[in-house]
Amino acid sequence: MPWAELPDDELAPNMAQWYWRCRANFTKESWTLLLGVWHEDELLGVQDIGAKNFHTLKTVSTGSWLKRSAQGQGFGKEMRAAVVSYAFDYLDAEVAESEAAVWNQQSLGVSTALGYELNGIFRDGWGEKVETVQRVHLTPTTFKRPTWTLKVQGHEGLKTYLKLQGS
Ligand SMILES: CC(C)(COP(=O)(O)OP(=O)(O)OC[C@H]1O[C@@H](n2cnc3c(N)ncnc32)[C@H](O)[C@@H]1OP(=O)(O)O)[C@@H](O)C(=O)NCCC(=O)NCCS
């Protein structure tokens, strides 16, 4: 993503502003939930899940980021499986979407491993670069569920805030 290529002195404030913006703009119709990924007390990366017009579309989208030393060990698959399980089982989402540059085999590898289906490509401008981006799409029926059971804390607060019915 273009933001990842910012110089070091701009990356941190840019990231902080993105986090503040997401929190400030969090409404029941349009929201981004920003989660951290820890392993043995070490922060490895971030996993977000978000939606627009959620009550009508019941569709979430996700984004993932792991530091380099944590990549390629299965964490990416586990963290995406966790938020998608949360979306389907707790938020009653009907579709989970994601996208990645066509060359990003790690991200698309996570999608394939979890049962996502290809959902078209589009051309996007990342700064001055043109990228071909692959969209992917998952439903509860096609989701290749993990063998572990998701443990969730704090759902009641989100459910109340988003005014969700049911679970
Ligand atoms: C994308 C990212 C989150 C993936 O996480 P990861 O921990 O590296 O990936 P995993 O180890 O969980 O791999 C998941 C699956 O992808 C497959 N995979 C990983 N790298 C692959 C590659 N280069 N080619 C093909 N498949 C690959 C794995 O085999 C695995 O599938 P399997 O369980 O069926 O064997 C991580 O690499 C990352 O943060 N990259 C930089 C940021 C980024 O690109 N974010 C996504 C932006 S859209």
Side-chain angles (χ1 to χ4, degrees):
M1 289 291 179
W3 62 263
E5 290 169 20
L6 287 176
D8 284 356
D9 63 334
E10 290 179 34
L11 191 62
N14 187 66
M15 188 164 173
Q17 284 176 332
W18 162 248
Y19 274 70
W20 295 327
R21 216 163 30 240
C22 286
R23 288 173 184 161
N25 291 332
F26 201 112
T27 67
K28 70 182 167 60
E29 285 305 331
S30 176
W31 47 268
T32 303
L33 180 65
L34 301 157
L35 302 168
V37 178
W38 277 267
H39 179 65
E40 293 173 352
D41 290 335
E42 186 188 353
L43 180 68
L44 301 185
V46 290
Q47 173 68 60
D48 61 61
I49 174 170
K52 290 196 174 77
N53 195 9
F54 183 67
H55 280 260
T56 304
L57 294 176
K58 303 271 189 190
T59 300
V60 294
S61 59
T62 61
S64 321
W65 196 268
L66 282 172
K67 63 180 179 178
R68 272 200 192 120
S69 59
Q71 294 176 12
Q73 301 167 50
F75 291 115
K77 186 173 165 186
E78 188 171 334
M79 63 209 234
R80 182 111 65 91
V83 289
V84 167
S85 298
Y86 180 61
F88 288 159
D89 299 344
Y90 286 79
L91 304 179
D92 293 327
E94 293 170 2
V95 172
E97 295 178 333
S98 187
E99 61 188 45
V102 287
W103 49 260
N104 194 336
Q105 290 305 312
Q106 286 172 297
S107 177
L108 294 171
V110 170
S111 298
T112 306
L114 294 177
Y116 284 75
E117 290 165 350
L118 300 182
N119 191 26
I121 55 168
F122 64 99
R123 268 159 63 84
D124 202 8
W126 290 5
E128 293 182 356
K129 276 192 286 182
V130 176
E131 292 284 359
T132 304
V133 182
Q134 175 73 58
R135 284 200 177 101
V136 292
H137 171 107
L138 184 72
T139 64
T141 319
T142 54
F143 183 28
K144 292 183 186 159
R145 285 182 172 274
T147 50
W148 38 266
T149 304
L150 182 70
K151 290 185 197 157
V152 174
Q153 288 178 304
H155 174 61
E156 280 303 313
L158 185 64
K159 183 183 155 189
T160 305
Y161 191 84
L162 295 180
K163 296 196 173 11
L164 298 175
Q165 310 293 325
S167 55

